[in-house]
Structures are given as C-alpha cells and as structure tokens.
Amino acid sequence: MKACFQSSSILLPKKEYCTSNWPVVACDQYTSQPEYWKEVESKIQECPSTLHMIYPEAYLDQGDARIPKINNTMREYLEKGILEETIQDGFILIERKTISGNRLGLIGKVDLESYEYMSNSKAFVRATEQTVVSRIPPRVKIRENAPLECPHVMLLIDDEQGKIIENLYIQKEQFSIAYDLDLIQEGGHLTGYKITGEIVEEINQKLYDFEQNSHGLFLVVGDGNHSLATAKTCWENIKKNLSKEEQEKHPARYALVELVNLHSLALQFEPIHRLLFHVDAQNLFFSFLMYLRKEHMDIQEGKEICFASNEIQISFSISNKQSRIPVEILQTFLDQYLLEHPESTIDYIHGDDVINSLGREKGNCGILLTAIQKEDLFPSIREGHTLPRKTFSMGEANEKRYYMETRYIK
C-alpha cells in the first residue's frame, strides 16, 4: 500500500540546460509588480526556462493568448530532449537556502482522489484557506491541454520528530545530486538529491504508516491552493470518461508537489497584506470602524491591523472579537466594501516594505496584518475550520517555491 503522497516519475532539464535560467518563482508572486517579471524576462530571454512554461499572474489580464505558446513550449522541450525523465519512480530531496534558513522538502506526487478543497472536508489532504472557485476556470484553461505540469504547490506534514524529510537529509551524502544552482532574483540556492532504488519503498512505507496514524488529516496545503484545486478540477473532468481501471493508472489523477515539515525552523509564517486601489483611505477606515461597531466590536490599542496610505497611518487591535481572527473579520468587511464600491480593486501582497511603498501611492491604501501561529494550523483544520483566503504566506515572496521539476500529465 502507498500513501496518498508517494514516489513519482520526475522530469528535469538536461545538464547543459540546468542553470540558474531554468527555475523561476511561483507564478502567483509579484502580481502587482509586473516590472519584476519584465526583469526576469530580460535576464532569461529565449534560454530554456520554466518561465516559458508558466503564466505569471501579473499578466492574467491578457487573457488566453499566452496559453497555446506555453503548451507548445512544453512539447518543444520534450521533442528536443531539453527535458528528460530523470527519475522513474522516486523522490527528490530538496535543500533550499533562503533568508530564513535552510528549508528541506521532498518532491513526490499526491493522489487527487485524497484531496478536497471545500470547507468541512474529511479528506486526508485538505486546503488551509478558502478556495475562490471563480479563480479556478482560468487556470483550468492553462492546464487542461498541457502535456506537463510545473508545480509550485507545497504541502505541509506535521512531523514534529522529523521522521520523514529530516531523516533523509541526514543520509544525503549517499544520494547523487540532481541539481545545484543559485536562484535568480535573490531566491537563494537550490540543491536537489535523487532518491531512487531500494530506499524508495522504505520511504513509501513510512509515509503510509504516518498517514494511517494521522487521525484522518495527513497533509494540508501550505502554498498553491488554487493550483492544486485546478489539478483536482481537471482530474474530475477527465475521469468522467474513464473506466475504473483507467482511472487507477491515469497520470492526471496525481499532481507533483513539494512536501515540507511544518516544524522546519526555516519555515516562517508571514502575513499576506491587502492593497486597495482607487479608494479614499479615510473613508475605508471609517467604514471598517462602523462595520466593527455594527458587529458589536471596536478598535483598541494594539498592532493586529494597520491602515497605511498617504492620508492615514493607524494601527490597532480588535476588541470583543470572540474566537474570530482579525484577517477573517477584515476580509468579510472588504468583500462587502468592494461590492459597494465597484471602482475599487484589491490585491494581496507579501512583504511589509512592498505594502508600505505601494500603499502610499495616490488612491491606494495598504492594510498590514500580523501572522497566525503555525502550531495552530493542524488543530484548526482538523476541527473543520478553513481560514479566510490569503491568510498566511510561508516566507517572503522570494522564498516561495521556484519551478524546477516537471511531470507528465498526459
């Protein structure tokens, strides 16, 4: 028996293409900073790169025009031998050096039959945050005709004793290196170790035992919730036309992901801030204050939330919020406010410096939040709670997963 997270076939670029030009950061980063992606494009140009196989969300307003080129690039990389199946049934152990420390990960595949993203799920693999269903269809268009997947999904395992990933890292000297390179745009350094042979069966067994003793919640989604929800949607569409036997073997039933230990010291939970465009910051703040009082809450001295613009700068906490968390209260208000003010829009920003800078531009307002405690994550999800969308981020934007490995899904 295998766990829902298990060994996989994995494709990597051939050695001559396995340079710093190949990996780029997750497509959902720097969405309000297209200049970041322009700089990446100017550095990489036409060199083989995952940049040409993804759709940076900073460009989503361009519609579907980019999608055929993405799919054609994947086919070209396969036909020209730029990509090759480096691992047929195994894992890649990752060591990622970031500003927060050395973060370890394990690349494998997750069975989408064991994952659910809806609230109150009882699946072995669950979303941590609310899934915005309207965000899935545009992503389905990108994946549904793609021969490969380039994942930026990170799943978390509650392995306090380090039995899985950390135990493998102790043995790293016995594994051959798959890649060892610097990441562009201050992404740190990335090393991958090939996990193949007899040890693969041992790891699969450990994962299965861990799953069976997980009291129904084995893994939660740390990053890439909407990407994994997209993979799930595509699989549900595909399996309608397959027999039970065909469903068991179809590659689209699985998604390539990185597994990370929740207890990693280099895994820092950072808040995701809100950036409002085309707003009157003072009106926004006083509207929020009125909303709180209507809900029998109020503001008090503290630093849970900060409104920052060229008009106001005010930090406060919320009193009488009972068991509700500040980000849930704020997001509920903002959803209502944006419906009433269609001229205003919102983005979700990582990093205090970025939100402070963008928030002070004319017509903008940044709303800074504090991070949740990561030790509260699994108990909350196990009890059936789903956090509001964009509640937390694992590290700063340049610490996010960079695309490196690929896998067949056709």
Side-chain angles (χ1 to χ4, degrees), residues 143-148 238 250-252 407-410:
R143 186 182 177 93
E144 61 186 355
N145 293 313
L148 301 170
I238 290 170
H250 200 289
R407 175 180 160 272
Y408 289 113
I409 53 175
K410 291 287 186 185

Side-chain angles (χ1 to χ4, degrees), residues 46 72 118 123 135 137 157 164 174 195 211 250 261 267 306 350 355 359 367 382 389:
E46 296 304 315
N72 289 336
M118 303 305 290
R135 294 184 64 190
I157 185 170
I164 308 294
Q174 73 182 61
I195 311 296
E211 177 185 273
H250 200 289
N261 190 356
L267 186 67
C306 175
H350 304 98
I355 192 71
I367 306 179
R382 185 172 282 113
R389 64 186 183 278

Side-chain angles (χ1 to χ4, degrees), residues 8-9 11 109 147-149 251-252 254-256 405-409:
S8 176
S9 62
L11 288 84
K109 67 183 180 184
L148 301 170
E149 62 175 351
Y254 300 88
L256 199 65
E405 301 81 4
T406 64
R407 175 180 160 272
Y408 289 113
I409 53 175

Side-chain angles (χ1 to χ4, degrees), residues 232-244:
K232 173 77 170 181
T233 302
C234 287
W235 168 238
E236 292 295 330
N237 292 337
I238 290 170
K239 78 175 188 178
K240 293 173 185 176
N241 300 314
L242 301 178
S243 67
K244 289 292 184 182

Side-chain angles (χ1 to χ4, degrees), residues 171-239:
Q171 309 170 60
K172 70 174 183 176
E173 299 302 327
Q174 73 182 61
F175 308 130
S176 61
I177 292 178
Y179 49 77
D180 187 30
L181 45 80
D182 290 326
L183 298 172
I184 63 171
Q185 304 296 91
E186 301 180 341
H189 192 86
L190 185 66
T191 306
Y193 301 88
K194 299 178 185 178
I195 311 296
T196 57
E198 294 180 0
I199 196 172
V200 172
E201 185 176 346
E202 178 186 328
I203 298 167
N204 278 324
Q205 184 62 51
K206 279 187 175 183
L207 288 163
Y208 179 74
D209 293 342
F210 204 109
E211 177 185 273
Q212 294 304 299
N213 293 310
S214 65
H215 306 291
L217 179 60
F218 179 34
L219 308 171
V220 301
V221 183
D223 261 345
N225 181 56
H226 287 88
S227 291
L228 198 58
T230 298
K232 173 77 170 181
T233 302
C234 287
W235 168 238
E236 292 295 330
N237 292 337
I238 290 170
K239 78 175 188 178

Side-chain angles (χ1 to χ4, degrees), residues 73-131:
T73 298
M74 292 180 177
R75 296 186 187 97
E76 178 187 337
Y77 286 0
L78 291 170
E79 291 167 2
K80 291 184 176 180
I82 292 172
L83 278 166
E84 58 184 3
E85 193 171 76
T86 306
I87 292 176
Q88 292 186 338
D89 181 32
F91 301 92
I92 292 181
L93 174 67
I94 285 178
E95 181 179 11
R96 172 79 180 277
K97 295 178 181 178
T98 73
I99 54 176
S100 298
N102 284 15
R103 188 179 73 222
L104 306 179
L106 189 66
I107 300 294
K109 67 183 180 184
V110 64
D111 187 348
L112 295 169
E113 288 290 317
S114 299
Y115 157 71
E116 295 288 347
Y117 57 82
M118 303 305 290
S119 300
N120 301 314
S121 167
K122 300 299 181 184
F124 272 123
V125 185
R126 305 179 203 171
T128 49
E129 300 178 343
Q130 293 173 1
T131 302

Side-chain angles (χ1 to χ4, degrees), residues 286-315:
F286 284 114
S287 295
F288 183 51
L289 182 59
M290 293 302 102
Y291 170 80
L292 291 176
R293 290 173 178 172
K294 181 181 177 182
E295 297 293 318
H296 309 291
M297 294 178 279
D298 210 331
I299 63 172
Q300 62 183 18
E301 185 176 345
K303 296 182 179 180
E304 290 177 341
I305 299 176
C306 175
F307 279 63
S309 75
N310 63 352
E311 299 174 343
I312 62 171
Q313 177 84 23
I314 182 168
S315 299

